[in-house]
Amino acid sequence: NAGVMQNPRHLVRRRGQEARLRCSPMKGHSHVYWYRQLPEEGLKFMVYLQKENIIDESGMPKERFSAEFPKEGPSILRIQQVVRGDSAAYFCASSPVGGAYEQYFGPGTRLTVT
Amino acid sequence: QQQVKQSPQSLIVQKGGIPIINCAYENTAFDYFPWYQQFPGKGPALLIAIRPDVSEKKEGRFTISFNKSAKQFSLHIMDSQPGDSATYFCAATRQRSSGDKLTFGTGTRLAVRP
């Protein structure tokens, strides 16, 4: 049973470009969470999605950031017009129905904005 | 009220020692407390978790102690090995079948010397 998959693993963008991060949850998991980890800091919650629904986006910056989890395909975290402060590791976690508090993390996407 | 405070920030022990990492929370609605282990360049891995109806849980060399009245919990690593050198994060959430975000501590960087 494959774990949570994220791609790309590393992403370099120039200021003003768009970044798209993808997350495929573990098989059988229908809950997806996105977290951001700044250098030398802990993980901060960004958004929680179920298929075709955003459940909690209280940690998402109000501008430039969006997320989706379509009926088919991976979850996407999209950052428009990136700035240097967006440089961080972005982790996706998934959890199963009924055990939604057990979250399993992917390897992360390390975004560098130059 | 959503914070989880973790200490120490870093810890060095000799092989065979018992490092102890402490966490404290404020939100009494939290009822599930996992610990994650993260190696450099990797995603956090779920290590062990506890619910507040028990005071201690042991899995292999890892033990969680929980003090509900003090709203504190701690991780002990018995017979620590150099391979345990990693960053450890405590977290807290609510057990809901519909899912909920994790609130993380700031992490403890552990080094186990041979």
Side-chain angles (χ1 to χ4, degrees), chain B residues 30-43:
Chain B
F30 290 148
D31 58 3
Y32 182 76
F33 303 88
W35 285 87
Y36 285 84
Q37 178 189 57
Q38 186 179 31
F39 293 103
K42 305 294 184 183

Side-chain angles (χ1 to χ4, degrees), chain B residues 1-3 7 21 23 27-29 33 41-42 47 50 57 64 69 74 78 84 88 90 92 96 99 105 107-108 111:
Chain B
Q1 197 181 20
Q2 292 294 322
Q3 280 188 324
S7 63
I21 304 170
C23 286
N27 187 350
T28 54
F33 303 88
K42 305 294 184 183
L47 195 59
I50 196 167
K57 183 175 181 180
I64 303 178
S69 61
S74 60
M78 307 301 177
D84 296 329
Y88 292 82
C90 62
R96 299 169 63 189
T108 296

Side-chain angles (χ1 to χ4, degrees), chain A residues 71-87:
Chain A
K71 187 176 181 180
E72 301 291 337
S75 175
I76 306 287
L77 179 67
R78 182 182 178 204
I79 311 172
Q80 294 179 292
Q81 299 174 5
V82 296
V83 300
R84 289 229 172 101
D86 295 334
S87 295

